[in-house]
Amino acid sequence: MGDLYFQIKGLIKIFKRRQIADGVYFSKITDPRYKQNRFFISLFTDISDIPREDAAVTAYEFTECCERYPDYKQLSSALLDLYDASISASTSIFSGARRTDIWAAALDDRYALDGEKLERETAKLMCDCIFRPFAKNGAFDEKTVEMLRAQLIDNIDSVINDKAVYASERAAKTAFKGEALELPPSGVHENAEKVTARSAYEAYRKMLSTAHVEICAVGCSEFSESEQIFTDEFSKLERGNIYRLKTSPSTLKDKPAHVEDYLEMQQVILRMYFKAPEMDDRPANALFASILGGMTTSRFFMNIREKQSLCYYCGCHADRFSKTIACSAGIEPDNVEKTRDAMLREFNDIRENGVSEDELNRAKLEILNALSSTYDSAHGIASWYLSQIIDGEFISPEEYAGRIRAVTPGRVRAAAEKYSLDTVYTLKNKE
């Protein structure tokens, strides 16, 4: 098996990535400033192969117990013995794939009082949780799954308490119909009730056997021993039909969909989705979204919220994987149409007339400032490189900053011209 091995250097940081098993890649990011070592393991699987709800319970299982520590109390005690190390997990959607993340953190070995090998033991503990779950006869422990299923249902149902998130989930049903983003990563209530100890275990086995796996180790260590631990564990697995990561732009509708939804609430939430399936200019796209509604001096904020006082908040977010810009606003009922029209005017004005040098420079400064803080946390730098695994190249934040600086007003306008309105969603009180 040939290794994929390369380095990217930026200041004192070094990034290395190599293949350690079939469909498994290990990356190291070394920076002596960090006092902790962190491991991030991402399992990418086909969203249609495994029920979302079973995958979500599996993510909970990874950090709840294992064969060696069969309940959370024992697992917590083991983490405390490692100078209060931690382990967490989550599930999300990444470019049309299911992404299950498990991450752990522990102090570097140099801070251990009695010479304990904290990095090594943390890596081993992660492997215990991932490869040796608390299960027998082809099923997880019934009581554990019963508790985790209830936790999942509570998390799904609690979305109603955050109207902005609720509106986002409801709007996605129309904006991304038939696509991975149509439903929440953790699934829906009625299907969560169907999760069993056996179905969750079957999902777990399929996840391990078919996932594209990215392991990212970030800290002051060289991670040689940890790399070998993960190599040995993943090499033992029987794997096949490994998921292939790919770009997954959302399909643009033939004509925009207009949907109204109702909930007992005072405010109205408006969401509009613009799509550009052919978008290929990442820096210009980021700057366009920032100028439109992604910063405090954006068109939306300055012209719609501040000057016209049409809404409580108004902004947008670009998803470069689905090639979508989602715009949202919180509005008084009487101002819905005015706000919608104002947002469309700002969007169309950039398409037709472009942006000023001053706007562009402010947006560049905003993004450059954010890039400068990427190395401030291990999570930030790991997220940076893991987000690039389908791009065909890995670039450092410094390299991307150079590409941002090179963007011209013409490129921003060209990026805007690729977008078209796809969905208009309104959540309001029926009365």
Side-chain angles (χ1 to χ4, degrees):
M1 177 180 62
D3 288 345
L4 300 177
Y5 179 89
F6 52 88
Q7 298 185 63
I8 296 174
K9 295 183 179 179
L11 301 178
I12 57 175
K13 281 76 65 176
I14 299 176
F15 173 73
K16 303 177 182 178
R17 179 176 181 266
R18 62 184 291 263
Q19 187 171 354
I20 62 171
D22 192 11
V24 182
Y25 299 84
F26 190 92
S27 300
K28 307 177 185 181
I29 302 170
T30 301
D31 187 329
R33 295 178 306 162
Y34 295 131
K35 294 181 179 180
Q36 282 189 327
N37 292 310
R38 291 177 178 260
F39 298 102
F40 302 86
I41 301 179
S42 296
L43 310 174
F44 299 92
T45 50
D46 192 321
I47 195 71
S48 62
D49 278 357
I50 303 169
R52 296 171 191 243
E53 299 77 13
D54 286 297
V57 168
T58 294
Y60 292 163
E61 279 274 355
F62 284 138
T63 59
E64 182 68 25
C65 58
C66 61
E67 186 177 79
R68 187 178 176 189
Y69 305 109
D71 60 47
Y72 185 70
K73 182 179 180 180
Q74 293 181 61
L75 180 60
S76 296
S77 179
L79 291 167
L80 284 172
D81 289 343
L82 294 173
Y83 292 76
D84 200 20
S86 61
I87 185 167
S88 304
S90 67
T91 183
S92 59
I93 305 297
F94 177 88
S95 191
R98 173 189 295 102
R99 175 174 172 174
T100 303
D101 291 313
I102 310 102
W103 63 95
L107 283 172
D108 186 63
D109 292 355
R110 58 186 164 169
Y111 298 105
L113 298 177
D114 297 313
E116 297 95 333
K117 298 296 184 181
L118 302 178
E119 176 200 328
R120 180 188 67 196
E121 295 307 313
T122 302
K124 286 184 174 180
L125 181 58
M126 287 190 82
C127 289
D128 279 334
C129 292
I130 295 171
F131 299 103
R132 288 169 285 281
F134 184 34
K136 60 182 178 180
N137 300 324
F140 287 129
D141 177 66
E142 290 279 358
K143 290 184 178 179
T144 302
V145 169
E146 182 180 351
M147 178 190 65
L148 297 180
R149 182 175 58 240
Q151 181 181 334
L152 173 62
I153 291 172
D154 285 346
N155 289 340
I156 291 171
D157 292 347
S158 67
V159 170
I160 193 71
N161 298 320
D162 188 327
K163 301 302 187 290
V165 176
Y166 178 80
S168 175
E169 288 192 359
R170 297 287 296 179
K173 290 178 175 291
T174 299
F176 304 107
K177 187 175 179 60
E179 300 173 358
L181 290 169
E182 178 183 3
L183 297 174
S186 296
V188 296
H189 181 117
E190 54 267 32
N191 292 337
E193 291 183 336
K194 302 173 185 175
V195 176
T196 66
R198 188 167 298 279
S199 68
Y201 185 79
E202 289 173 355
Y204 157 77
R205 295 303 306 170
K206 190 161 191 178
M207 190 182 296
L208 280 193
S209 65
T210 65
H212 173 107
V213 182
E214 293 284 341
I215 307 168
C216 191
V218 186
C220 52
S221 172
E222 286 297 319
F223 297 109
S224 298
E225 188 173 9
S226 299
E227 180 179 351
Q228 190 60 52
I229 290 170
F230 288 116
T231 299
D232 292 343
E233 293 284 3
F234 276 100
S235 296
K236 296 174 187 175
L237 293 178
E238 293 184 11
R239 288 168 52 78
N241 195 26
I242 295 172
Y243 180 76
R244 290 184 175 272
L245 284 165
K246 55 186 180 294
T247 56
S248 185
S250 183
T251 302
L252 178 66
K253 296 176 180 56
D254 293 334
K255 62 179 182 179
H258 293 261
V259 177
E260 288 188 351
D261 215 347
Y262 304 100
L263 189 68
E264 187 174 337
M265 55 191 291
Q266 304 253 331
Q267 222 178 82
V268 175
I269 296 178
L270 172 67
R271 291 187 65 86
M272 292 196 293
Y273 294 81
F274 299 87
K275 296 182 181 179
E278 304 303 319
M279 176 59 65
D280 56 4
D281 192 338
R282 177 185 170 189
N285 183 53
L287 287 162
F288 165 55
S290 187
I291 292 169
L292 182 64
M295 58 182 182
T296 54
T297 57
S298 68
R299 296 277 189 102
F300 282 176
F301 186 86
M302 298 300 295
N303 297 340
I304 300 175
R305 185 188 184 276
E306 295 296 292
K307 292 181 180 179
Q308 300 180 62
S309 300
L310 288 176
C311 53
Y312 298 105
Y313 65 87
C314 189
C316 73
H317 168 74
D319 181 344
R320 70 185 183 90
F321 302 110
S322 66
K323 302 191 177 181
T324 302
I325 287 181
C327 306
S328 61
I331 317 162
E332 286 290 336
D334 292 342
N335 290 331
V336 175
E337 291 186 10
K338 292 178 183 178
T339 304
R340 181 195 62 209
D341 293 344
M343 292 169 75
L344 286 170
R345 278 196 303 272
E346 297 298 341
F347 170 77
N348 287 324
D349 184 65
I350 296 178
R351 282 171 51 94
E352 295 167 7
N353 302 311
V355 299
S356 68
E357 287 283 358
D358 182 57
E359 284 181 308
L360 182 57
N361 288 334
R362 278 188 273 116
K364 285 182 178 180
L365 184 60
E366 186 94 3
I367 292 176
L368 292 174
N369 284 339
L371 286 170
S372 67
S373 65
T374 304
Y375 289 108
D376 288 351
S377 71
H379 190 276
I381 193 59
S383 297
W384 172 264
Y385 285 110
L386 284 171
S387 72
Q388 300 181 66
I389 60 175
I390 62 170
D391 289 342
E393 64 172 345
F394 285 83
I395 62 172
S396 68
E398 293 86 356
E399 289 175 288
Y400 185 64
R403 298 183 186 188
I404 287 289
R405 293 188 184 97
V407 174
T408 62
R411 282 174 60 186
V412 174
R413 180 179 177 181
E417 288 174 344
K418 292 187 176 182
Y419 280 96
S420 297
L421 180 64
D422 179 89
T423 300
V424 179
Y425 172 88
T426 309
L427 178 65
K428 59 185 180 180
N429 193 315
K430 195 167 187 177
E431 296 179 0

